[in-house]
Amino acid sequence: ASASTALENLARARAAGAEPAEALARFLARYGHRCEKEAELAEPRWADDPRVVAEVLEGYVAAARQGELTDLRLRERELTQRAHELANEIRAELAEASWLERVLPLRRAAFAWVLREARRYAPYRENLKDHGLRALHLLRRVFLELGRRLTARGLLSSPDDVFYVELGVAERALLEGTDLRAAAAAARAIRSRDEQTPPPRHVIEAPGRAPRWVHASTSGGGLIEGVGVSSGIAVGRARVLSSMDEAQRLAPGDILVARVINGAWTPLFHLAGGIVAEVGGVLSHGAIVAREYGIPAVFGAGGASAIQDGALIRVDGDLGLVTLEEEEA
């Protein structure tokens, strides 16, 4: 949604004679506190590094010029119509459930109330998250200022090293002049190692015992089984992305494949023909947005990142299956 807003702002700015750079600056002033790993203080925000936003916009513009960009308004109308149809189907099933319901529509009234309240309050979750991320963005600036002061005194190698030492340690170093460079480097190395470690499929915890990781592969041959989180079927080229930094590689109709898909990836959904993620379920942020966009998606697909980039794959959001398609010679 943020990328769509940015495009609209850029279009209006250009029509009014303003430079796209100025419109982008206004967009970043409003949404610059967002980024890919939004809950991670060490992660640069869009305001700090707007390159990803610019690349996503370039992809949108290129797709629009080629006539490959779906009109979001048309998709929204189709999804709205489908939602009304589903609501009517549920009302009809409730009415046929019993003779009492036909005479006294209590369950239908309850359904109407729940549906109305869900539509009313669903946006509040996003508003709450947005305000929380704004506060986190301000907190990040405070830590970076602490890091700059420690770096200026030769106690850290760079300001963002402050995120790799504990707050109390950093505060004492500022007062006592403790050299934190070795500690920060060691913490960075640990994080880098952990990021290269494949995540477990499940974590089993029992009282009095340490958590036990269970690695279970669900892939076999040309099939990967996951959880269907957004219905529909899509066939396209797999575009395996390790992060949003590779956003420019996604072309219209490609199947977006990643280890984790969170809310910050949603600007790419307008280009993707389907979505596959190794981690997540039906209530994942990316899964919810995929349903809102009407994009077939499978999450919890262990081993999906090992799919060969560019391979022709089929995503079945109903059955939760990802299959490798045979290409004609």
Side-chain angles (χ1 to χ4, degrees):
S2 297
S4 302
T5 304
L7 281 175
E8 294 171 2
N9 290 343
L10 287 171
R12 284 195 293 267
R14 178 166 291 179
E19 291 296 327
E22 297 176 2
L24 182 57
R26 288 195 298 273
F27 170 78
L28 292 174
R30 185 171 182 179
Y31 300 105
H33 57 286
R34 309 302 295 262
C35 68
E36 179 181 350
K37 301 173 184 176
E38 297 176 321
E40 173 57 64
L41 271 178
E43 186 76 4
R45 271 44 186 171
W46 287 344
D48 303 323
D49 182 7
R51 178 174 50 86
V52 170
V53 177
E55 290 175 351
V56 170
L57 291 175
E58 289 175 0
Y60 273 49
V61 171
R65 287 175 176 171
Q66 298 171 11
E68 299 177 338
L69 196 64
T70 303
D71 190 331
L72 281 178
R73 292 168 297 185
L74 176 60
R75 177 179 288 175
E76 185 176 3
R77 286 195 295 268
E78 292 174 348
L79 292 173
T80 300
Q81 178 62 31
R82 179 54 182 155
H84 286 313
E85 292 174 355
L86 286 174
N88 289 333
E89 290 175 9
I90 293 174
R91 293 189 187 97
E93 290 180 4
L94 290 174
E96 297 173 359
S98 67
W99 66 267
L100 180 60
E101 180 64 27
R102 288 193 291 272
V103 176
L104 191 62
L106 294 178
R107 296 177 66 185
R108 279 174 287 172
F111 169 73
W113 181 82
V114 171
L115 180 61
R116 183 180 67 250
E117 294 301 291
R119 287 173 172 170
R120 177 183 177 186
Y121 288 106
Y124 282 74
R125 177 187 183 277
E126 295 306 314
N127 294 340
L128 178 62
K129 179 181 179 182
D130 188 73
H131 287 300
L133 290 172
R134 288 181 187 276
L136 206 62
H137 184 41
L138 293 176
L139 185 61
R140 171 180 158 81
R141 291 181 178 180
V142 173
F143 278 102
L144 284 175
E145 178 58 30
L146 175 58
R148 279 189 286 269
R149 297 186 184 190
L150 291 170
T151 302
R153 296 176 58 181
L155 305 177
L156 283 178
S157 299
S158 63
D160 61 349
D161 274 348
V162 73
F163 298 114
Y164 295 89
V165 294
E166 294 184 4
L167 176 59
V169 173
E171 290 176 331
R172 286 195 298 272
L174 193 62
L175 296 173
E176 302 171 2
T178 308
D179 191 334
L180 301 177
R181 288 175 293 182
R188 275 187 181 272
I190 291 174
R191 180 183 178 182
S192 178
R193 181 201 65 194
D194 290 344
E195 287 179 335
Q196 302 304 316
T197 303
R201 288 286 296 165
H202 305 283
V203 177
I204 298 177
E205 294 185 79
R209 300 181 183 178
R212 180 163 58 92
W213 293 8
V214 179
H215 292 269
S217 175
T218 57
S219 60
L223 172 68
I224 297 178
E225 182 179 356
V227 178
V229 299
S230 183
S231 65
I233 296 174
V235 178
R237 297 290 173 183
R239 199 59 58 207
V240 185
L241 306 184
S242 61
S243 72
M244 282 284 290
D245 290 337
E246 300 179 339
Q248 71 277 11
R249 295 179 49 230
L250 186 71
D254 283 350
I255 306 298
L256 172 60
V257 181
R259 191 177 75 83
V260 179
I261 300 287
N262 59 30
W265 289 73
T266 54
L268 299 181
F269 285 20
H270 192 28
L271 295 175
I275 305 168
V276 179
E278 288 194 348
V279 179
V282 293
L283 294 181
S284 300
H285 197 149
I288 294 171
V289 179
R291 290 193 292 273
E292 292 176 350
Y293 274 57
I295 303 173
V298 174
F299 281 22
S305 293
I307 295 174
Q308 183 177 0
D309 190 74
L312 186 65
I313 62 174
R314 183 176 188 267
V315 178
D316 191 326
D318 298 302
L319 298 179
L321 299 176
V322 180
T323 54
L324 183 64
E325 294 286 279
E326 295 184 2
E327 301 190 47
E328 298 180 359

